[in-house]
Amino acid sequence: MMDDIQHLAGKVSLVPSQNGIVRNYKPVRYDMGTFDESVHPEVQAMHREAQWFINDVVNKVRPRRWLSLLGASGVGKTHLAESVKAALVKESPSFPIQFWKWQRVASILRSGDWAFVEYLVKEVYVLILDDIGAENTSPAILSALNRVVDGRLGKWTMLTSNLLPEHIGEHLDARIASRLYRGENVVCKVEEAPDYCFERYMRREEGR
């Protein structure tokens, strides 16, 4: 998918989104990194929704919502989330925007800094949490994750995970899985796309 992706500059026109809402505000241009049109449709869908997410944040569209990128490893979820942060910082440098890997958040909490949970809930305008569910979670850490997602309802939030919604419900908490779909929140599931990171590795090993 992404070997030095060429510039994907998204210019949003007055067209309906997937849920039929017409967004008639000024378009925003931003760089989402490289993009190959031959990639799997599920990956293209992630990129489209990331574009809408950026435009909605920058244009302060209501209601504020979440975007969740869930499923298959190696399809560029983290890369895309990092690109979203970079685009938002460029377009709206005054917004408090934070990108955190969930493993790092869990490490901070284990050190005893439980006030960090309230900081993520209350002080961050756009929160991007990468790779939730990537590690075994103690009851205390799971409780903190529940507090974050519960407190972030109605706030700009982006989540990534290698778990699909049903697995989040099984391995983490059904309440978290339910909140992914609350209100105008959008979920992109990547179930069939190949592992592009592994494909690139194999091409290098084979000298292609």
Side-chain angles (χ1 to χ4, degrees):
M1 156 179 88
M2 307 176 161
D3 276 6
D4 284 344
I5 305 178
Q6 300 196 351
H7 194 96
L8 176 67
K11 199 173 214 179
V12 175
S13 58
L14 307 186
V15 294
S17 72
Q18 290 182 351
N19 62 4
I21 297 174
V22 176
R23 292 166 164 84
N24 55 357
Y25 45 85
K26 75 180 183 70
V28 175
R29 293 183 64 83
Y30 52 89
D31 180 8
M32 294 301 297
T34 58
F35 190 73
D36 180 344
E37 289 297 335
S38 68
V39 301
H40 195 277
E42 290 176 339
V43 176
Q44 292 192 40
M46 283 201 309
H47 278 253
R48 285 195 303 272
E49 290 298 343
Q51 291 171 6
W52 283 118
F53 186 79
I54 293 169
N55 277 276
D56 286 357
V57 171
V58 170
N59 289 285
K60 300 180 180 179
V61 172
R62 294 281 193 164
R64 296 170 182 169
R65 61 183 177 83
W66 295 4
L67 173 61
S68 301
L69 311 179
L70 308 179
S73 178
V75 298
K77 298 187 302 295
T78 295
H79 175 88
L80 188 55
E82 290 171 340
S83 296
V84 167
K85 183 200 171 184
L88 288 173
V89 168
K90 180 179 178 181
E91 294 292 339
S92 302
S94 64
F95 288 173
I97 298 166
Q98 295 277 310
F99 177 102
W100 287 93
K101 289 190 173 294
W102 178 248
Q103 296 95 318
R104 176 61 180 145
V105 174
S107 177
I108 291 171
L109 298 179
R110 290 191 187 100
S111 74
D113 187 3
W114 293 94
F116 188 59
V117 171
E118 295 307 309
Y119 166 77
L120 295 177
V121 169
K122 297 177 180 177
E123 303 299 329
V124 180
Y125 186 67
V126 180
L127 176 63
I128 301 173
L129 271 186
D130 184 48
D131 220 9
I132 64 170
E135 59 177 45
N136 292 328
T137 304
S138 69
I141 298 298
L142 181 57
S143 176
L145 177 57
N146 263 302
R147 167 60 186 144
V148 171
V149 298
D150 197 48
R152 294 293 307 179
L153 284 173
K155 300 179 180 181
W156 294 114
T157 306
M158 186 173 181
L159 305 172
T160 80
S161 178
N162 287 348
L163 300 174
L164 291 170
E166 58 269 28
H167 301 136
I168 289 175
E170 292 169 3
H171 301 300
L172 293 177
D173 193 305
R175 291 171 296 178
I176 296 174
S178 173
R179 282 163 175 72
L180 299 177
Y181 293 93
R182 194 71 57 88
E184 298 293 322
N185 293 348
V186 173
V187 176
C188 285
K189 295 193 292 184
V190 183
E191 301 179 81
E192 305 295 335
D195 185 332
Y196 293 102
C197 292
F198 184 70
E199 283 192 353
R200 286 199 301 274
Y201 166 77
M202 291 303 296
R203 286 199 297 271
R204 288 196 299 269
E205 288 294 297
E206 295 167 4
R208 290 190 278 158

